[in-house]
Amino acid sequence: MKLPEITRGEHEIIQVKIAMSYPLRWVNSYLIGGSSGWSIVDPGPRSADNEQAWQHVLDTLGIPLPTIRSIVLTHHHPDHYGLSGWFQQQCGMPVWISERALAEANRSWSRGNTAASDLVHLFASHGMPEEITSRLPAHLDSFVPQVVPQPEVTFIQPGQMLEIGDRLWETIETSGHAAGHISFYQPEQRLMLCGDAVLPQISPNISLVPGSDPSPLESYLTGLRQLGQYEVDLAYPGHRRPFTHFRDRTEKLLLHHEERLQAMEDRIRDQPRTGYEVCSGLFNNELTLHQLRFAMSETLAHLVELERLGRAVRQEQGGIISFSAK
Ligand SMILES: [Zn+2]
Ligand SMILES: [Zn+2]
């Protein structure tokens, strides 16, 4: 096991790189200390290696487990939410998450959930061949060990000031990457813990997910405009490194999606195409199943946004949906 890199940054925020699968490679967990103990923001996906990694981190920093007074979650994805139940099982600390994000966690991870069959149905209706959709249920199942046990959670309300360390942070709920995603803003020091809402270098995945937000790209772009209003000196993201120029990054992401919308509209100008055909044309063919799932969900998020904007219409024939530019 590779021991995680620990970076003691400014503002008494410690960045811990917790391992996760390719292509992201690590998720940033943040340890934030205060007079009554520590908080961990996004502890990472559960695995035997990551449990050991955390034990090593806490030993190295001289932080006894009982001094961790809360786990704070930006969103429900396994790379962020995963170990929260494992921490809570040991010390019973509260796990903070938004109400909407918990609903997403339940839709994805609760016993007897229909997330896999719903996704197969959605992708099949948008033209994905059966030899691919048939592999999705086992693929989604493979994430379950990363998120057990489920934590007992306490809700964070949007707009609430939450104490993390000795500072108060404004909770800002924006959706699109994940419904119910929370970023945390510290106004005196102008810091933003932004989870996966805004990432440096990478464009956060925007997914159309069955049973969740029907207009994820619209939600995401609205959230970017909202986050771009804040005066931020340093942003602490869920992946890659802390970065400055937060507002500039929100503007670049807005532009990126405008370009993606245009590229998809161009793909359906000559003839109607299914979501799968648009996806195959825009993303390269060497994708793993995991990457293909994200590419397909991202394509559908853009196509339904074009439809909502009146720039595309859908047709359905024999149960298969295709889109054409208006
Ligand atoms: Zn995420
Ligand atoms: Zn993530």
PDB file of all heavy atoms in Angstrom, residues 142-165:
ATOM      1  N   SER A 142     -20.124  -3.262  -8.208  1.00  0.00           N
ATOM      2  CA  SER A 142     -18.735  -3.291  -7.738  1.00  0.00           C
ATOM      3  C   SER A 142     -18.406  -2.081  -6.853  1.00  0.00           C
ATOM      4  O   SER A 142     -17.396  -2.075  -6.155  1.00  0.00           O
ATOM      5  CB  SER A 142     -17.764  -3.361  -8.930  1.00  0.00           C
ATOM      6  OG  SER A 142     -17.745  -2.130  -9.621  1.00  0.00           O
ATOM      7  N   PHE A 143     -19.270  -1.059  -6.859  1.00  0.00           N
ATOM      8  CA  PHE A 143     -19.019   0.110  -6.001  1.00  0.00           C
ATOM      9  C   PHE A 143     -19.554  -0.063  -4.577  1.00  0.00           C
ATOM     10  O   PHE A 143     -19.174   0.689  -3.679  1.00  0.00           O
ATOM     11  CB  PHE A 143     -19.641   1.372  -6.616  1.00  0.00           C
ATOM     12  CG  PHE A 143     -18.915   1.821  -7.851  1.00  0.00           C
ATOM     13  CD1 PHE A 143     -19.322   1.405  -9.109  1.00  0.00           C
ATOM     14  CD2 PHE A 143     -17.788   2.632  -7.751  1.00  0.00           C
ATOM     15  CE1 PHE A 143     -18.633   1.799 -10.248  1.00  0.00           C
ATOM     16  CE2 PHE A 143     -17.089   3.028  -8.879  1.00  0.00           C
ATOM     17  CZ  PHE A 143     -17.509   2.608 -10.129  1.00  0.00           C
ATOM     18  N   VAL A 144     -20.461  -1.036  -4.401  1.00  0.00           N
ATOM     19  CA  VAL A 144     -21.125  -1.160  -3.097  1.00  0.00           C
ATOM     20  C   VAL A 144     -20.127  -1.329  -1.934  1.00  0.00           C
ATOM     21  O   VAL A 144     -20.268  -0.654  -0.903  1.00  0.00           O
ATOM     22  CB  VAL A 144     -22.191  -2.283  -3.128  1.00  0.00           C
ATOM     23  CG1 VAL A 144     -22.756  -2.547  -1.739  1.00  0.00           C
ATOM     24  CG2 VAL A 144     -23.313  -1.904  -4.095  1.00  0.00           C
ATOM     25  N   PRO A 145     -19.070  -2.170  -2.092  1.00  0.00           N
ATOM     26  CA  PRO A 145     -18.132  -2.303  -0.964  1.00  0.00           C
ATOM     27  C   PRO A 145     -17.431  -0.989  -0.585  1.00  0.00           C
ATOM     28  O   PRO A 145     -16.925  -0.864   0.525  1.00  0.00           O
ATOM     29  CB  PRO A 145     -17.096  -3.319  -1.480  1.00  0.00           C
ATOM     30  CG  PRO A 145     -17.767  -4.038  -2.595  1.00  0.00           C
ATOM     31  CD  PRO A 145     -18.734  -3.076  -3.197  1.00  0.00           C
ATOM     32  N   GLN A 146     -17.443  -0.006  -1.481  1.00  0.00           N
ATOM     33  CA  GLN A 146     -16.796   1.281  -1.181  1.00  0.00           C
ATOM     34  C   GLN A 146     -17.648   2.168  -0.273  1.00  0.00           C
ATOM     35  O   GLN A 146     -17.176   3.201   0.192  1.00  0.00           O
ATOM     36  CB  GLN A 146     -16.524   2.066  -2.474  1.00  0.00           C
ATOM     37  CG  GLN A 146     -15.558   1.386  -3.417  1.00  0.00           C
ATOM     38  CD  GLN A 146     -15.253   2.240  -4.644  1.00  0.00           C
ATOM     39  OE1 GLN A 146     -15.590   3.412  -4.722  1.00  0.00           O
ATOM     40  NE2 GLN A 146     -14.586   1.638  -5.613  1.00  0.00           N
ATOM     41  N   VAL A 147     -18.923   1.791  -0.071  1.00  0.00           N
ATOM     42  CA  VAL A 147     -19.824   2.692   0.666  1.00  0.00           C
ATOM     43  C   VAL A 147     -20.516   2.028   1.862  1.00  0.00           C
ATOM     44  O   VAL A 147     -21.443   2.616   2.431  1.00  0.00           O
ATOM     45  CB  VAL A 147     -20.913   3.294  -0.256  1.00  0.00           C
ATOM     46  CG1 VAL A 147     -20.295   4.179  -1.322  1.00  0.00           C
ATOM     47  CG2 VAL A 147     -21.761   2.210  -0.877  1.00  0.00           C
ATOM     48  N   VAL A 148     -20.080   0.836   2.237  1.00  0.00           N
ATOM     49  CA  VAL A 148     -20.693   0.199   3.413  1.00  0.00           C
ATOM     50  C   VAL A 148     -19.757   0.353   4.606  1.00  0.00           C
ATOM     51  O   VAL A 148     -18.540   0.357   4.421  1.00  0.00           O
ATOM     52  CB  VAL A 148     -20.996  -1.298   3.172  1.00  0.00           C
ATOM     53  CG1 VAL A 148     -22.164  -1.450   2.235  1.00  0.00           C
ATOM     54  CG2 VAL A 148     -19.778  -2.054   2.681  1.00  0.00           C
ATOM     55  N   PRO A 149     -20.278   0.452   5.833  1.00  0.00           N
ATOM     56  CA  PRO A 149     -21.706   0.587   6.154  1.00  0.00           C
ATOM     57  C   PRO A 149     -22.193   1.999   5.837  1.00  0.00           C
ATOM     58  O   PRO A 149     -21.397   2.925   5.759  1.00  0.00           O
ATOM     59  CB  PRO A 149     -21.723   0.333   7.664  1.00  0.00           C
ATOM     60  CG  PRO A 149     -20.391   0.832   8.140  1.00  0.00           C
ATOM     61  CD  PRO A 149     -19.424   0.527   7.037  1.00  0.00           C
ATOM     62  N   GLN A 150     -23.497   2.125   5.656  1.00  0.00           N
ATOM     63  CA  GLN A 150     -24.070   3.460   5.445  1.00  0.00           C
ATOM     64  C   GLN A 150     -24.066   4.208   6.781  1.00  0.00           C
ATOM     65  O   GLN A 150     -24.349   3.627   7.809  1.00  0.00           O
ATOM     66  CB  GLN A 150     -25.521   3.335   4.969  1.00  0.00           C
ATOM     67  CG  GLN A 150     -25.709   2.477   3.745  1.00  0.00           C
ATOM     68  CD  GLN A 150     -25.235   3.152   2.473  1.00  0.00           C
ATOM     69  OE1 GLN A 150     -25.331   4.366   2.352  1.00  0.00           O
ATOM     70  NE2 GLN A 150     -24.694   2.385   1.561  1.00  0.00           N
ATOM     71  N   PRO A 151     -23.752   5.489   6.768  1.00  0.00           N
ATOM     72  CA  PRO A 151     -23.781   6.256   8.028  1.00  0.00           C
ATOM     73  C   PRO A 151     -25.197   6.657   8.438  1.00  0.00           C
ATOM     74  O   PRO A 151     -26.096   6.684   7.602  1.00  0.00           O
ATOM     75  CB  PRO A 151     -22.981   7.509   7.662  1.00  0.00           C
ATOM     76  CG  PRO A 151     -23.256   7.701   6.197  1.00  0.00           C
ATOM     77  CD  PRO A 151     -23.373   6.311   5.607  1.00  0.00           C
ATOM     78  N   GLU A 152     -25.373   6.951   9.721  1.00  0.00           N
ATOM     79  CA  GLU A 152     -26.568   7.672  10.185  1.00  0.00           C
ATOM     80  C   GLU A 152     -26.216   9.138  10.002  1.00  0.00           C
ATOM     81  O   GLU A 152     -25.187   9.584  10.527  1.00  0.00           O
ATOM     82  CB  GLU A 152     -26.793   7.424  11.683  1.00  0.00           C
ATOM     83  CG  GLU A 152     -27.263   6.036  12.037  1.00  0.00           C
ATOM     84  CD  GLU A 152     -28.689   5.799  11.577  1.00  0.00           C
ATOM     85  OE1 GLU A 152     -29.496   6.746  11.642  1.00  0.00           O
ATOM     86  OE2 GLU A 152     -28.976   4.667  11.140  1.00  0.00           O
ATOM     87  N   VAL A 153     -27.035   9.884   9.294  1.00  0.00           N
ATOM     88  CA  VAL A 153     -26.584  11.230   8.935  1.00  0.00           C
ATOM     89  C   VAL A 153     -27.368  12.330   9.664  1.00  0.00           C
ATOM     90  O   VAL A 153     -28.441  12.095  10.210  1.00  0.00           O
ATOM     91  CB  VAL A 153     -26.681  11.477   7.414  1.00  0.00           C
ATOM     92  CG1 VAL A 153     -25.930  10.408   6.654  1.00  0.00           C
ATOM     93  CG2 VAL A 153     -28.133  11.568   6.967  1.00  0.00           C
ATOM     94  N   THR A 154     -26.781  13.506   9.667  1.00  0.00           N
ATOM     95  CA  THR A 154     -27.429  14.725  10.149  1.00  0.00           C
ATOM     96  C   THR A 154     -27.480  15.678   8.958  1.00  0.00           C
ATOM     97  O   THR A 154     -26.488  15.794   8.238  1.00  0.00           O
ATOM     98  CB  THR A 154     -26.589  15.365  11.275  1.00  0.00           C
ATOM     99  OG1 THR A 154     -26.275  14.355  12.244  1.00  0.00           O
ATOM    100  CG2 THR A 154     -27.326  16.510  11.942  1.00  0.00           C
ATOM    101  N   PHE A 155     -28.626  16.323   8.760  1.00  0.00           N
ATOM    102  CA  PHE A 155     -28.754  17.162   7.554  1.00  0.00           C
ATOM    103  C   PHE A 155     -28.122  18.536   7.736  1.00  0.00           C
ATOM    104  O   PHE A 155     -28.243  19.153   8.787  1.00  0.00           O
ATOM    105  CB  PHE A 155     -30.231  17.350   7.179  1.00  0.00           C
ATOM    106  CG  PHE A 155     -30.873  16.085   6.671  1.00  0.00           C
ATOM    107  CD1 PHE A 155     -32.159  15.748   7.049  1.00  0.00           C
ATOM    108  CD2 PHE A 155     -30.191  15.240   5.798  1.00  0.00           C
ATOM    109  CE1 PHE A 155     -32.762  14.586   6.579  1.00  0.00           C
ATOM    110  CE2 PHE A 155     -30.781  14.077   5.324  1.00  0.00           C
ATOM    111  CZ  PHE A 155     -32.062  13.749   5.717  1.00  0.00           C
ATOM    112  N   ILE A 156     -27.487  18.991   6.668  1.00  0.00           N
ATOM    113  CA  ILE A 156     -27.039  20.378   6.572  1.00  0.00           C
ATOM    114  C   ILE A 156     -28.061  21.068   5.678  1.00  0.00           C
ATOM    115  O   ILE A 156     -28.391  20.563   4.600  1.00  0.00           O
ATOM    116  CB  ILE A 156     -25.689  20.526   5.827  1.00  0.00           C
ATOM    117  CG1 ILE A 156     -24.719  19.404   6.193  1.00  0.00           C
ATOM    118  CG2 ILE A 156     -25.087  21.897   6.048  1.00  0.00           C
ATOM    119  CD1 ILE A 156     -23.477  19.386   5.297  1.00  0.00           C
ATOM    120  N   GLN A 157     -28.527  22.230   6.099  1.00  0.00           N
ATOM    121  CA  GLN A 157     -29.487  22.989   5.283  1.00  0.00           C
ATOM    122  C   GLN A 157     -28.731  23.987   4.405  1.00  0.00           C
ATOM    123  O   GLN A 157     -27.766  24.601   4.862  1.00  0.00           O
ATOM    124  CB  GLN A 157     -30.455  23.777   6.185  1.00  0.00           C
ATOM    125  CG  GLN A 157     -31.215  22.922   7.180  1.00  0.00           C
ATOM    126  CD  GLN A 157     -32.081  21.852   6.541  1.00  0.00           C
ATOM    127  OE1 GLN A 157     -32.479  21.969   5.379  1.00  0.00           O
ATOM    128  NE2 GLN A 157     -32.355  20.785   7.285  1.00  0.00           N
ATOM    129  N   PRO A 158     -29.180  24.154   3.151  1.00  0.00           N
ATOM    130  CA  PRO A 158     -28.558  25.176   2.310  1.00  0.00           C
ATOM    131  C   PRO A 158     -28.639  26.548   2.988  1.00  0.00           C
ATOM    132  O   PRO A 158     -29.674  26.894   3.554  1.00  0.00           O
ATOM    133  CB  PRO A 158     -29.417  25.168   1.037  1.00  0.00           C
ATOM    134  CG  PRO A 158     -30.173  23.881   1.068  1.00  0.00           C
ATOM    135  CD  PRO A 158     -30.277  23.449   2.492  1.00  0.00           C
ATOM    136  N   GLY A 159     -27.558  27.285   2.969  1.00  0.00           N
ATOM    137  CA  GLY A 159     -27.532  28.622   3.588  1.00  0.00           C
ATOM    138  C   GLY A 159     -27.120  28.615   5.049  1.00  0.00           C
ATOM    139  O   GLY A 159     -26.772  29.652   5.616  1.00  0.00           O
ATOM    140  N   GLN A 160     -27.172  27.430   5.671  1.00  0.00           N
ATOM    141  CA  GLN A 160     -26.797  27.306   7.083  1.00  0.00           C
ATOM    142  C   GLN A 160     -25.311  27.632   7.265  1.00  0.00           C
ATOM    143  O   GLN A 160     -24.499  27.373   6.382  1.00  0.00           O
ATOM    144  CB  GLN A 160     -27.063  25.853   7.501  1.00  0.00           C
ATOM    145  CG  GLN A 160     -26.708  25.494   8.920  1.00  0.00           C
ATOM    146  CD  GLN A 160     -26.867  23.973   9.166  1.00  0.00           C
ATOM    147  OE1 GLN A 160     -27.508  23.270   8.389  1.00  0.00           O
ATOM    148  NE2 GLN A 160     -26.270  23.500  10.242  1.00  0.00           N
ATOM    149  N   MET A 161     -24.952  28.235   8.424  1.00  0.00           N
ATOM    150  CA  MET A 161     -23.541  28.424   8.743  1.00  0.00           C
ATOM    151  C   MET A 161     -23.118  27.217   9.588  1.00  0.00           C
ATOM    152  O   MET A 161     -23.666  26.978  10.663  1.00  0.00           O
ATOM    153  CB  MET A 161     -23.322  29.723   9.522  1.00  0.00           C
ATOM    154  CG  MET A 161     -23.713  30.982   8.745  1.00  0.00           C
ATOM    155  SD  MET A 161     -22.855  31.226   7.157  1.00  0.00           S
ATOM    156  CE  MET A 161     -21.215  31.685   7.692  1.00  0.00           C
ATOM    157  N   LEU A 162     -22.174  26.451   9.074  1.00  0.00           N
ATOM    158  CA  LEU A 162     -21.737  25.222   9.746  1.00  0.00           C
ATOM    159  C   LEU A 162     -20.350  25.451  10.334  1.00  0.00           C
ATOM    160  O   LEU A 162     -19.475  25.996   9.668  1.00  0.00           O
ATOM    161  CB  LEU A 162     -21.690  24.080   8.729  1.00  0.00           C
ATOM    162  CG  LEU A 162     -21.357  22.697   9.275  1.00  0.00           C
ATOM    163  CD1 LEU A 162     -22.498  22.162  10.143  1.00  0.00           C
ATOM    164  CD2 LEU A 162     -21.091  21.712   8.129  1.00  0.00           C
ATOM    165  N   GLU A 163     -20.171  25.012  11.602  1.00  0.00           N
ATOM    166  CA  GLU A 163     -18.864  25.179  12.224  1.00  0.00           C
ATOM    167  C   GLU A 163     -17.954  24.010  11.832  1.00  0.00           C
ATOM    168  O   GLU A 163     -18.254  22.849  12.096  1.00  0.00           O
ATOM    169  CB  GLU A 163     -19.016  25.247  13.750  1.00  0.00           C
ATOM    170  CG  GLU A 163     -17.767  25.780  14.416  1.00  0.00           C
ATOM    171  CD  GLU A 163     -17.924  25.888  15.924  1.00  0.00           C
ATOM    172  OE1 GLU A 163     -19.046  26.161  16.406  1.00  0.00           O
ATOM    173  OE2 GLU A 163     -16.915  25.677  16.614  1.00  0.00           O
ATOM    174  N   ILE A 164     -16.863  24.344  11.168  1.00  0.00           N
ATOM    175  CA  ILE A 164     -15.841  23.339  10.826  1.00  0.00           C
ATOM    176  C   ILE A 164     -14.530  23.935  11.307  1.00  0.00           C
ATOM    177  O   ILE A 164     -14.176  25.051  10.931  1.00  0.00           O
ATOM    178  CB  ILE A 164     -15.752  23.076   9.301  1.00  0.00           C
ATOM    179  CG1 ILE A 164     -17.120  22.779   8.691  1.00  0.00           C
ATOM    180  CG2 ILE A 164     -14.785  21.932   9.019  1.00  0.00           C
ATOM    181  CD1 ILE A 164     -17.119  22.622   7.165  1.00  0.00           C
ATOM    182  N   GLY A 165     -13.788  23.191  12.134  1.00  0.00           N
ATOM    183  CA  GLY A 165     -12.663  23.828  12.817  1.00  0.00           C
ATOM    184  C   GLY A 165     -13.261  24.881  13.736  1.00  0.00           C
ATOM    185  O   GLY A 165     -14.339  24.691  14.282  1.00  0.00           O
TER     186      GLY A 165
END
